[in-house]
Amino acid sequence: MSDPAAPVDSSRTLELRVPEMDCPSCATKVRNSVERLDGIDEIDPRVTSGRLVVAYDPTRADEAAIRERVRAAGYAVEDAASELTVSVPEMDCPSCATKVENALADVENVEEVETRPATGRVTVAISEGTDAEDVTAAIESAGYEATPVADEGGAMADPAAVWRSRRAVGTGIGAVLVAVGMTLEFVFPAADPALAAVAGRTYALSDLLFIAAVAVAGTPILRNGYYSARNRSLDIDFLMSLGIVASVATHHPFEGAMLAVLFSVAELLERFSMDRARDSLRELMDLSPDTATVRREDGTEETVPADELAIGDRVVVRPGEKIPADGVVAEGSSAVDQSPITGESVPADKGAGDEVYAGTILESGYLEVEVERKASDSTIARIVRMVEDAEREKTEREQFIDRFASVYTPIVVALAAAAAFVPPLLFGASWSYWFVVGLTLLVISCPCALVISTPVSVVSGITSAAKNGVLIKGGRHLEAVGESDVLAVDKTGTLTTGDLSVTDVIPLEGADEDEVLRRAGAAEHRSEHPIGQAIVGYAEERGLEPDASDVSGFEALTGKGVRADVDGTTHYVGKPGLFEGLADLEHTHATDGGVVLESMGYEVDAGSQCDREGCLDVLGDVVPDLQAEGKTVVIVGTDEGPIGVVAVADRVRPEARWAVSRLQDRGVRVVMLTGDNEGTARAIADAVGIEEYHAELLPDEKLERIRELGEATRPRNGTGSEATREVEAEHGSGRVAMVGDGINDAPALATADVGIAMGAAGTDTALETADVALMGDDLTRLPYLYALSGKANGVIRQNIWSSLAVKAVLAAGAPFGIVTVIHAVVIGDMGMSLGVTGNAMRLAGVEPETPDPDELAE
């Protein structure tokens, strides 16, 4: 595709928005279409964000041609540059978001608006040529400060600014005025002289103090209420403004002042609590350092902003410093704390050639890292973007609450108006009493706490998970994990490490272990087969590296093994079938008389076929036993007979059994799906405690099995514990989650209700395609994910029902005078907003459980 001779700095990067490219299949189609062009250096389709990044040689390709190839694949193209992100820190509730959306609806060339109050951001899709100032001016016309940000990882507002703001000062002054007025009116009425009479109403000093409190503390409310009316938004600012003005106009200055002060306090506390909710995202943003030390070609060092690092730069990282960019270690070695990315508590040793990530911390030593990704494309930057994007997609509960609120608010407002006017007009009741009842219902009518109950929980849960090495792409995935009662688990690379290693060496006919390994490693040295490479690697670890001059005549025997001359003698290494006609595998002798074999659990009968000790039937006894344990058996020998048996296996992850046990304790039905043979599948399933497995599955059969698991409420083959079947019968939801390596299992992951990718750190495919990504190869994060999701679902339900219950109780008590304006603001608005936010913050306290060493498999 690309010309190797082209200079590196001649490449340009084009980023396009392709909104309809929303699955791996779409990404493949777009990639194949664009690849047909000459001069394409790199193609990076990002399914989650609907973006396509293309690096190309401008002398051989152009932007128009790339766009045309994307359209030829059947997808509409929008320039990524047409998306503007604006920071609106004061937009901290759905009511604010609605006001901003209404204001932007009147701006010409604004095609799409996404408001994210939990992060204080607005993303606007605008036509080419539209000025960003037009967008910010529209947002400011709704009463909010707006600042364009260069990227979605820009800084947020300082949380301490809430208590130093002009509104906070005005609220404080208003509170003092109300306190003095109440003292005069209710404690020392003799000191509360009448000062004026207007329109037949007498105003005492306390009344004027209350009106002054409205003017000072209520001005921001009235201002926002004006913008709400102008933008046709029936929100809490409009309703509170209406209540304050009506209170003063009808000679209820005390109620108006209390409403202004208490609501201002509620707004400040809500903004502060929302800022606390944003802190977890700030922590993610702050993981990457601001500066980096670059070593130039002349040996000098220069400190530059991390955002200015270019691919190929060599950065110097010293103990205690953060690595500023994703890259590869070029020089040095050190233990690196990767917990910000993978959640792993134990530092990982890194040396030359190892991959490292931005935001991870050098524990000791010294590293020089060659930059492979720009700061905006680093793993941590993508995590931050995806966490922010997670708020865009509303959960089913959020959609329900939005629909409910759109009906609930007008109904309660109508009831408030009826309560204020119907009793006095029809039954001659007290105007003053029923006005206060109507005012109370007006305050109750705003469903702020109800509407923020789900999104604040989702943001808290997702950011908490990200800090623990689990990336959740959206609120619906957070909910769906906890609601899934079946977890399909891939074997290779998930339950096992995915790397073959030697597990057993059985020497025969007088050879010892080192001799068997040396000869096997020498014969396999030129082999490219994974089993051969595992044997060579193990031999090298034992210091048994072959002398190349002693090995010749190498030949790969397809499907059987290899043949090579070692020390002048022809050796064979391969499957037992390779030795048919070469050796009698049914009658061999263990080198040590069978002592090692007996320690491994084999029964060795001396003299069963002859008078020698350690007489052994390799083909009938040893091979089947090893294969039953899920191991691949390799025989090592010569024309004269076998000299040893080597068993190779993909090792089970130490934490796999513990993780499976914890999931089953939660009532999750764990099913293993693998393309491996029946014997290996059975051995691995037994090793980790999985009772139901399906082996020898082709990729399309895995998809079908996942569909079947979703339809079933109990295991089809009748396996599974009685407790598990009872849970399924009572709580079965038909939802299936699947965990795999994120690349080979991509189709199956996409078919499942929730796809969970293992080891996604640094893996673009896994990050882009999975619904949930475990950043490290750590199965202990699976029980944590289920625990977090279960608690998040519980918190969301608690927030929703408590909000509804409190509103209902307050509304029922208002007509009887039990509930006043003060109760409605302090409990119904301020109290519940703080309550649901504080409840959501509990999700940050869910920590991954670490198994004890004695709980891990050896």
Side-chain angles (χ1 to χ4, degrees):
M1 290 191 308
S2 60
D3 183 3
V8 175
D9 58 3
S10 68
S11 181
R12 290 184 184 175
T13 300
L14 174 65
E15 184 171 341
L16 303 174
R17 290 184 72 243
V18 188
E20 296 175 353
M21 184 184 67
D22 54 10
C23 68
S25 174
C26 302
T28 301
K29 198 183 303 181
V30 171
R31 179 191 291 275
N32 291 341
S33 181
V34 176
E35 278 181 343
R36 297 180 186 177
L37 293 173
D38 291 333
I40 302 299
D41 297 327
E42 186 179 356
I43 303 172
D44 181 13
R46 301 175 183 176
V47 176
T48 303
S49 53
R51 290 180 173 85
L52 177 70
V53 180
V54 182
Y56 67 98
D57 181 353
T59 63
R60 304 172 60 198
D62 57 44
E63 295 184 8
I66 295 171
R67 290 192 184 92
E68 184 56 37
R69 291 312 310 163
V70 176
R71 295 189 185 99
Y75 297 91
V77 179
E78 301 175 16
D79 285 342
S82 65
E83 189 174 86
L84 174 67
T85 300
V86 182
S87 174
V88 189
E90 294 179 351
M91 184 190 68
D92 52 15
C93 68
S95 173
C96 306
T98 300
K99 198 183 305 182
V100 170
E101 290 169 2
N102 291 341
L104 289 171
D106 296 331
V107 179
E108 190 176 357
N109 296 327
V110 169
E111 300 172 3
E112 186 178 349
V113 178
E114 287 184 297
T115 52
R116 288 172 276 170
T119 50
R121 299 293 182 88
V122 178
T123 301
V124 184
I126 55 178
S127 302
E128 189 174 349
T130 303
D131 198 331
E133 292 182 359
D134 295 339
V135 174
T136 56
I139 295 174
E140 288 169 353
S141 73
Y144 301 95
E145 293 183 4
T147 307
V149 294
D151 57 73
E152 295 202 22
M156 293 185 188
D158 178 7
V162 172
W163 304 114
R164 297 197 301 265
S165 65
R166 181 181 300 177
R167 182 166 191 174
V169 174
T171 303
I173 295 172
V176 171
L177 292 173
V178 169
V180 174
M182 290 176 64
T183 302
L184 291 174
E185 183 172 354
F186 301 112
V187 181
F188 303 109
D192 186 21
L195 298 181
V198 179
R201 297 185 183 276
T202 302
Y203 289 87
L205 176 59
S206 59
D207 293 327
L208 297 182
L209 290 174
F210 293 144
I211 294 173
V214 167
V216 175
T219 298
I221 303 171
L222 298 173
R223 175 177 174 272
N224 290 338
Y226 162 74
Y227 286 121
S228 297
R230 200 171 78 171
N231 288 290
R232 305 177 300 282
S233 178
L234 185 65
D235 61 10
I236 194 166
D237 287 319
F238 174 76
L239 297 176
M240 294 303 102
S241 297
L242 182 63
I244 291 170
V245 171
S247 296
V248 175
T250 57
H251 199 52
H252 289 82
F254 169 68
E255 284 79 4
M258 290 298 296
L259 191 58
V261 171
L262 290 176
F263 182 67
S264 288
V265 172
E267 288 287 281
L268 292 169
L269 285 172
E270 183 178 291
R271 188 175 303 169
F272 176 75
S273 61
M274 181 59 73
D275 223 60
R276 292 287 301 274
R278 295 172 182 171
D279 281 346
S280 53
L281 186 56
R282 285 193 186 91
E283 291 175 13
L284 288 177
M285 293 178 174
D286 292 340
L287 285 176
S288 295
D290 296 327
T291 60
T293 303
V294 180
R295 182 179 293 279
R296 301 302 184 188
E297 293 182 0
D298 59 4
T300 61
E301 294 184 1
E302 180 183 358
T303 300
V304 301
D307 291 342
E308 295 180 7
L309 287 174
I311 296 175
D313 281 347
R314 179 173 288 204
V315 297
V316 174
V317 191
R318 296 182 171 84
E321 295 181 348
K322 293 180 180 178
I323 296 174
D326 286 6
V328 173
V329 177
E331 184 179 327
S333 62
S334 173
V336 177
D337 177 5
Q338 297 193 133
S339 58
I341 301 293
T342 65
E344 298 167 313
S345 58
V346 179
D349 293 327
K350 299 291 183 179
D354 290 335
E355 189 174 16
V356 292
Y357 310 113
T360 56
I361 305 164
L362 228 61
E363 294 280 314
S364 59
Y366 166 91
L367 293 182
E368 290 188 14
V369 178
E370 185 172 329
V371 177
E372 287 198 330
R373 286 193 183 98
K374 294 180 180 180
S376 59
D377 268 340
S378 70
T379 300
I380 191 64
R382 284 183 290 167
I383 289 174
V384 171
R385 282 200 296 269
M386 289 176 183
V387 170
E388 289 187 311
D389 287 345
E391 192 191 349
R392 296 187 180 194
E393 188 175 0
K394 291 187 176 182
T395 68
E396 293 179 4
R397 287 190 178 96
E398 284 183 272
Q399 294 171 5
F400 165 75
I401 291 299
D402 286 346
R403 292 193 299 269
F404 176 83
S406 66
V407 175
Y408 163 86
T409 301
I411 289 176
V412 180
V413 169
L415 289 175
F421 295 105
V422 171
L425 290 175
L426 296 184
F427 306 106
S430 167
W431 280 97
S432 178
Y433 178 86
W434 286 101
F435 173 81
V436 173
V437 171
L439 185 61
T440 302
L441 288 173
L442 194 67
V443 175
I444 295 171
S445 67
C446 187
C448 263
L450 177 64
V451 175
I452 70 170
S453 59
T454 297
V456 74
S457 302
V458 166
V459 170
S460 177
I462 288 175
T463 52
S464 175
K467 289 190 292 183
N468 286 294
V470 180
L471 178 60
I472 304 173
K473 298 294 188 63
R476 69 184 182 93
H477 304 310
L478 176 66
E479 290 182 350
V481 170
E483 293 171 351
S484 63
D485 43 24
V486 179
L487 176 65
V489 185
D490 176 53
K491 179 185 76 68
T492 305
T494 303
L495 292 173
T496 64
T497 61
D499 297 321
L500 295 175
S501 57
V502 174
T503 59
D504 304 273
V505 179
I506 303 171
L508 304 171
E509 305 297 350
D512 60 22
E513 283 192 25
D514 285 354
E515 185 66 15
V516 173
L517 281 171
R518 189 186 73 80
R519 296 191 188 189
E524 293 277 13
H525 199 67
R526 296 182 184 177
S527 174
E528 295 181 355
H529 195 281
I531 293 177
Q533 293 176 347
I535 293 174
V536 172
Y538 188 70
E540 291 176 348
E541 288 177 12
R542 300 266 299 253
L544 303 172
E545 298 185 44
D547 186 341
S549 62
D550 296 334
V551 183
S552 61
F554 173 83
E555 181 183 359
L557 306 174
T558 305
K560 294 183 178 181
V562 301
R563 175 172 55 205
D565 294 334
V566 181
D567 299 333
T569 302
T570 300
H571 283 68
Y572 299 87
V573 182
K575 296 179 178 180
L578 175 61
F579 286 81
E580 279 187 33
L582 292 174
D584 183 8
L585 297 181
E586 297 177 356
H587 184 194
T588 60
H589 300 89
T591 293
D592 56 5
V595 175
V596 172
L597 286 170
E598 288 178 351
S599 70
M600 294 168 63
Y602 296 104
E603 294 184 5
V604 182
D605 298 326
S608 60
Q609 301 185 59
C610 65
D611 295 333
R612 291 178 56 185
E613 291 186 356
C615 191
L616 190 65
D617 183 351
V618 170
L619 200 59
D621 295 331
V622 177
V623 171
D625 286 347
L626 291 172
Q627 288 178 337
E629 295 175 6
K631 300 172 182 176
T632 300
V633 179
V634 174
I635 308 296
V636 184
T638 66
D639 292 330
E640 298 178 359
I643 64 171
V645 177
V646 178
V648 178
D650 182 3
R651 289 186 181 274
V652 174
R653 294 185 185 277
E655 73 277 10
R657 187 176 186 87
W658 177 89
V660 169
S661 173
R662 288 296 187 274
L663 289 168
Q664 291 171 337
D665 289 344
R666 296 187 62 86
V668 179
R669 170 182 162 202
V670 183
V671 181
M672 186 178 77
L673 305 180
T674 179
D676 216 330
N677 64 73
E678 177 76 17
T680 300
R682 185 190 310 112
I684 299 299
D686 289 343
V688 301
I690 293 178
E691 297 178 350
E692 182 183 359
Y693 64 88
H694 303 277
E696 301 178 8
L697 297 177
L698 297 174
D700 58 334
E701 292 173 330
K702 274 191 178 182
L703 302 184
E704 184 59 33
R705 187 64 63 179
I706 287 175
R707 294 191 183 101
E708 291 176 1
L709 290 171
E711 296 168 359
T713 57
R714 61 181 64 204
R716 289 181 176 269
N717 63 5
T719 62
S721 66
E722 185 64 30
T724 300
R725 289 197 293 273
E726 289 176 2
V727 169
E728 289 164 358
E730 183 177 354
H731 302 291
S733 67
R735 290 181 182 269
V736 179
M738 179 177 178
V739 58
D741 60 22
I743 301 174
N744 299 329
D745 296 310
L749 291 172
T751 302
D753 294 288
V754 186
I756 306 170
M758 281 280 291
T763 307
D764 292 344
T765 303
L767 278 176
E768 293 292 337
T769 60
D771 301 319
V772 179
L774 309 184
M775 302 306 291
D777 288 320
D778 187 358
L779 285 173
T780 64
R781 291 303 184 267
L782 276 177
Y784 161 73
L785 173 61
Y786 271 82
L788 177 68
S789 178
K791 187 167 185 177
N793 287 338
V795 165
I796 291 170
R797 285 193 293 269
Q798 291 164 12
N799 283 349
I800 290 174
W801 289 111
S802 61
S803 298
L804 289 173
V806 169
K807 291 285 186 183
V809 169
L810 292 175
F816 303 101
I818 301 172
V819 175
T820 65
V821 173
I822 296 175
H823 298 108
V825 175
V826 173
I827 300 174
D829 183 61
M830 176 173 61
M832 284 311 302
S833 293
L834 292 177
V836 298
T837 304
N839 195 32
M841 291 302 99
R842 293 194 300 120
L843 296 177
V846 181
E847 296 288 342
E849 185 180 356
T850 302
D852 295 329
D854 57 359
E855 293 181 290
L856 299 178
E858 295 296 333

